[in-house]
Amino acid sequence: MQDEYVGDPHTEFDFEFQTGILALMHRDSKFLAYAVDNLSPSYFTDKDLAWMFRTMRSHFLDTRSVITERAIKDRLRSDIRKNILDEERLKYVRQAYFNIRDDVLSDAGYIQSRVVAFVKKNVMEDAFAPAVEAFKRGEYERVVNIFSDAYKRSDIIFKEGQTYPDVDQFHERVKRRNVVTKVVPTGIMDLDTYLRGGGLGEKELGVILAPTNRGKSMMLKHIAEFNMFRGLNGLIFTLEMSEDRYLDRFDMSVARLTTTEMVDNPDKVERRLKEIASSPACGKVHIKEYPTQTATVENLRSYAENLRRGGFFPDFVVVDYADLLRSDTKYTEKRHEHSHIYETLRGWAVEASIPIWTATQANRGSLSKSQVTVADISEDFGKAMIADVIVGLCQNKKEKENQEMRLFIAKNRDGTSGMEILVRTDFAHGRFYDGP
């Protein structure tokens, strides 16, 4: 049954709403691009509106612009000559165009949200078939990725890029320079001086590069601890050490105790923890353990999202370390899986607008080298291209005996690289940095 006022309730959009969709496409190039990617002529129940959609879509794909009245007239004449349209329909198509052109679009926001919801429903429905097949094959993470990709594909993101040269956009950039952004310093002043903004910025991926047993985890823990005392909240994912062992290192560091002293003096540790916890200037660090080679970047993101729902909002993430993550996509060569992991990790940093610190293993040859550089990255050199900052941990036998370490700035996007900073370490008390 069809009511005169609401039309056929069994169709998604009535004639008037379909006209509104075309009017928004005619007025808004961003919505036009979204509609071209996600709608089809079959969604328009009126044949003249369907012709308008096809014509607007064809024009956009040819010119990447909104169709003009002149172009509409030209395409009408062309379709009449080709017998696609007859002259009798001409007056109806013309009237459809006038309705589109003259629509005031006072409900443009509502039209857009309804179309996006409609597209999401269709795209998610289409995702079910491949998701079921993946489920049958036991590829459970693939199921999650199929729905995640479908949702992202159907979403409408209207954040434009920027044009150069453009004076107005330059003024906006100057304003943004003065806005405080999330920066996670290393807490080593001589190193932070070389990093843009004094640390690793939001949307950036920082990597600690070192051979085995040189202090990658110690430095990552130091970065997290230093920023906790600055009032930031951090999220650490450990894929090698247990949560308890990681927390023991925090206990040793904040209480200035060795492993033996920490075990023998639990009261001293407890007093220090109460002191820190009561400080309004102190943030918190949450630590989550995953077995080696079991977690993907998507698992980490999901865990972080669950924490946010529970009221814990990380200002930065530490992954200790990314080489021990599992790729959610299989490649014939292992090095390509490593590149994919680092690309996905940096993609998370960009999407969430947070800094992410991690570490990577240097090859065996770096153990005997005076300086650890990007050339010493094991498995895949592609990691070096993806990271924004890479800090190599360099140490010879004498420096190790003297509890000294040289930090080599192997890569520093938009900053100085190739510099070395000498620091003192104190691993016995769980501290990577004990001053210059």
Side-chain angles (χ1 to χ4, degrees):
M1 176 175 149
Q2 182 164 329
D3 182 83
E4 209 173 279
Y5 180 69
V6 301
D8 185 356
H10 301 295
T11 60
E12 187 71 31
F13 304 121
D14 65 10
F15 177 86
E16 188 177 357
F17 201 96
Q18 291 173 30
T19 301
I21 293 172
L22 293 169
L24 190 55
M25 289 172 61
H26 186 252
R27 209 76 54 84
D28 187 331
S29 60
K30 304 179 193 72
F31 181 77
L32 171 62
Y34 179 80
V36 165
D37 285 342
N38 293 286
L39 299 181
S40 76
S42 63
Y43 294 152
F44 294 86
T45 52
D46 181 86
K47 61 182 179 181
D48 299 323
L49 295 184
W51 183 89
M52 285 298 306
F53 176 83
R54 272 193 297 268
T55 303
M56 293 168 77
R57 180 178 65 178
S58 175
H59 183 85
F60 176 78
L61 293 174
D62 289 343
T63 67
R64 292 291 161 181
S65 63
V66 174
I67 198 165
T68 61
E69 187 167 353
R70 183 174 18 250
I72 287 279
K73 289 178 181 178
D74 184 65
R75 287 175 181 262
L76 276 170
R77 285 193 295 270
S78 174
D79 280 3
I80 289 172
R81 286 196 303 271
K82 295 175 184 175
N83 294 319
I84 295 172
L85 284 178
D86 56 52
E87 295 198 29
E88 176 141 358
R89 273 189 64 198
L90 180 59
K91 62 180 180 181
Y92 298 108
V93 175
R94 187 192 306 122
Q95 187 57 52
Y97 173 71
F98 291 155
N99 292 340
I100 292 165
R101 183 194 64 185
D102 299 336
D103 195 315
V104 295
L105 282 176
S106 58
D107 56 351
Y110 178 73
I111 291 173
Q112 177 179 297
S113 65
R114 281 283 286 114
V115 170
V116 171
F118 172 70
V119 169
K120 282 185 186 298
K121 179 172 74 80
N122 288 341
V123 172
M124 296 301 279
E125 282 178 355
D126 291 342
F128 269 96
V132 168
E133 290 303 312
F135 179 82
K136 289 178 179 176
R137 293 192 299 270
E139 299 172 355
Y140 304 122
E141 286 192 22
R142 177 71 182 139
V143 174
V144 174
N145 291 338
I146 287 171
F147 283 115
S148 176
D149 291 345
Y151 187 85
K152 290 175 184 175
R153 192 170 67 251
S154 65
D155 201 10
I156 190 164
I157 302 171
F158 282 163
K159 187 181 185 304
E160 287 186 280
Q162 299 180 65
T163 305
Y164 194 88
D166 187 301
V167 175
D168 290 337
Q169 290 183 3
F170 169 73
H171 291 156
E172 291 301 316
R173 279 191 287 123
V174 170
K175 288 178 187 175
R176 287 196 293 273
R177 287 174 191 164
N178 298 321
V179 176
V180 177
T181 57
K182 294 174 191 168
V183 174
V184 174
T186 64
I188 303 169
M189 189 176 296
D190 289 343
L191 174 58
D192 291 329
T193 300
Y194 292 106
L195 303 182
R196 183 176 178 177
L200 191 70
E202 59 186 24
K203 303 184 180 183
E204 291 183 335
L205 178 65
V207 177
I208 309 301
L209 169 65
T212 186
N213 203 34
R214 182 157 292 177
K216 296 186 294 294
S217 295
M218 277 288 194
M219 184 166 181
L220 291 174
K221 194 255 347 164
H222 164 78
I223 292 170
E225 181 182 335
F226 177 80
N227 285 282
M228 177 188 75
F229 281 114
R230 291 178 63 238
L232 300 184
N233 291 329
L235 172 56
I236 299 176
F237 291 104
T238 172
L239 299 116
E240 190 173 41
M241 286 192 296
S242 68
E243 293 170 10
D244 283 355
R245 188 174 174 189
Y246 230 103
L247 290 167
D248 284 347
R249 286 188 173 183
F250 273 91
D251 288 343
M252 292 164 61
S253 178
V254 299
R256 292 272 185 166
L257 300 173
T258 64
T259 303
T260 303
E261 291 168 343
M262 176 190 65
V263 173
D264 293 342
N265 297 275
D267 292 345
K268 187 173 181 179
V269 176
E270 184 177 350
R271 283 195 301 272
R272 182 65 178 131
L273 287 180
K274 286 179 178 178
E275 181 184 325
I276 296 169
S278 64
S279 171
C282 188
K284 292 185 182 297
V285 171
H286 183 93
I287 300 176
K288 171 61 180 173
E289 170 191 353
Y290 281 102
T292 300
Q293 294 291 330
T294 61
T296 65
V297 174
E298 189 59 39
N299 292 142
L300 309 191
R301 292 175 68 153
S302 297
Y303 188 85
E305 189 56 40
N306 285 335
L307 286 181
R308 288 190 181 93
R309 293 192 189 103
F312 183 82
F313 298 91
D315 296 298
F316 64 93
V317 171
V318 169
V319 179
D320 188 6
Y321 53 101
D323 292 5
L324 302 180
L325 288 168
R326 182 169 60 83
S327 174
D328 57 13
T329 303
K330 294 298 178 187
Y331 294 90
T332 52
E333 295 187 51
K334 192 74 174 174
R335 61 190 180 92
H336 293 149
E337 292 188 5
H338 279 277
S339 280
H340 177 71
I341 288 169
Y342 277 75
E343 287 167 355
T344 311
L345 201 57
R346 191 176 186 278
W348 178 21
V350 171
E351 286 184 22
S353 292
I354 55 171
I356 296 181
W357 275 103
T358 188
T360 191
Q361 190 84 2
N363 56 37
R364 236 177 306 177
S366 65
L367 281 166
S368 58
K369 292 181 65 176
S370 171
Q371 197 172 76
V372 181
T373 71
V374 291
D376 299 306
I377 292 177
S378 64
E379 292 290 353
D380 178 32
F381 187 75
K383 302 171 192 174
M385 294 185 285
I386 298 161
D388 296 282
V389 173
I390 300 178
V391 178
L393 305 187
C394 312
Q395 191 178 54
N396 57 36
K397 187 176 179 180
K398 184 178 179 181
E399 287 168 336
K400 186 172 183 178
E401 290 171 355
N402 294 335
Q403 298 186 77
E404 293 177 335
M405 185 91 69
R406 281 172 293 113
L407 310 182
F408 176 68
I409 305 176
K411 180 180 179 181
N412 186 15
R413 203 185 299 274
D414 297 331
T416 303
S417 61
M419 310 298 291
E420 276 192 349
I421 298 98
L422 181 66
V423 298
R424 287 192 58 79
T425 62
D426 186 7
F427 288 4
H429 292 88
R431 303 175 72 85
F432 176 83
Y433 177 63
D434 201 40

